[in-house]
Amino acid sequence: MPKRVLILFAHPALEKSRVNRYLAGAVQNIPGVTFNDLYEVYPDFQIDVAREQELLLAHDVVVLQHPFYWYSSPAILKEWQDLVLEHGFAYGTDGTALRGKVLLNVITTAGPQEAYRPEGYNRFTMRHLLSPFEQTASLCGMRYLAPLTVHRALSLASLRDVEPHALLYRRAIESLIDGSLDLEAATRAERLNDVLPAPDAIVASGTATGAL
């Protein structure tokens, strides 16, 4: 049975974004995907907790798509976590609503991949820096996958530059829906990018670029 994917999209200045806008365009119309733009729905940060919890209940996979701001996420995603992931719903003795679901971060960052190593200027791996999300998943009984990461995002100046990343993102979502993604490998990896086919292979396989 196909899985249902909820994408929680958080970008406070989408009109200035190239990369996240292209990435979103690649996945938001895939059958089985619900695209929830948090800043668009809640410009005043007044999050409808009941609505968000209903969305979580209705989906099998939760994707957090966001730029990597100060080693974390934009503010609304933290607000969403604080309000929606309530005791008795997401965690605690009776908080089993999310148990067995999958959580994935899809992030853009200006830094190169080599900066996210112990010897790099960010001192930690991307997965290490995202450990609060991984622990959140663990507390909620969810399976946390390695992040899908777009590095050097500020240097991706055109659609042609972004397209391989958008295609890789689309492949990730499609493989989560149809169950073809190796979840064990995706859980152990440092980056989900390394588990998925290379972008050139995706293009060669006939994936339509018009989805962008």
Side-chain angles (χ1 to χ4, degrees), residues 48-65:
D48 185 337
V49 173
R51 173 186 183 269
E52 297 301 313
Q53 290 181 348
E54 287 176 6
L55 284 173
L56 289 171
L57 290 171
H59 294 81
D60 309 293
V61 178
V62 181
V63 176
L64 310 179
Q65 182 188 339

Side-chain angles (χ1 to χ4, degrees), residues 21-198:
R21 189 168 66 248
Y22 290 152
L23 292 176
V27 298
Q28 63 189 106
N29 294 319
I30 297 174
V33 167
T34 299
F35 191 82
N36 189 19
D37 185 337
L38 295 178
Y39 277 101
E40 180 178 57
V41 177
Y42 306 114
D44 56 1
F45 274 57
Q46 298 300 306
I47 293 173
D48 185 337
V49 173
R51 173 186 183 269
E52 297 301 313
Q53 290 181 348
E54 287 176 6
L55 284 173
L56 289 171
L57 290 171
H59 294 81
D60 309 293
V61 178
V62 181
V63 176
L64 310 179
Q65 182 188 339
H66 58 92
F68 200 44
Y69 282 179
W70 282 106
Y71 309 106
S72 187
S73 65
I76 200 167
L77 191 51
K78 181 60 167 63
E79 180 77 354
W80 182 94
Q81 290 175 276
D82 290 344
L83 297 178
V84 176
L85 302 182
E86 293 180 310
H87 184 273
F89 173 78
Y91 71 100
T93 303
D94 298 317
T96 60
L98 305 183
R99 190 166 295 173
K101 298 181 187 290
V102 170
L103 183 66
L104 166 67
N105 288 89
V106 175
I107 57 177
T108 56
T109 180
Q113 185 178 351
E114 56 268 23
Y116 292 92
R117 296 172 180 168
E119 65 275 15
Y121 62 77
N122 285 317
R123 302 179 53 230
F124 299 97
T125 67
M126 180 64 73
R127 179 127 190 195
H128 192 165
L129 291 167
L130 289 169
S131 57
F133 290 98
E134 185 165 0
Q135 176 55 26
T136 296
S138 177
L139 185 64
C140 296
M142 305 175 77
R143 179 193 285 266
Y144 185 77
L145 304 186
L148 184 67
T149 308
V150 179
H151 289 285
R152 300 184 186 273
L154 294 179
S155 68
L156 303 177
S158 69
L159 175 58
R160 185 180 183 86
D161 295 329
V162 181
E163 184 179 43
H165 302 284
L167 290 170
L168 196 65
Y169 185 18
R170 184 177 179 88
R171 172 57 62 87
I173 297 302
E174 289 175 337
S175 65
L176 283 164
I177 290 172
D178 66 21
S180 62
L181 181 66
D182 184 339
L183 292 180
E184 290 297 331
T187 300
R188 295 191 305 267
E190 182 64 32
R191 301 188 312 153
L192 188 62
N193 310 53
D194 303 325
V195 176
L196 296 165

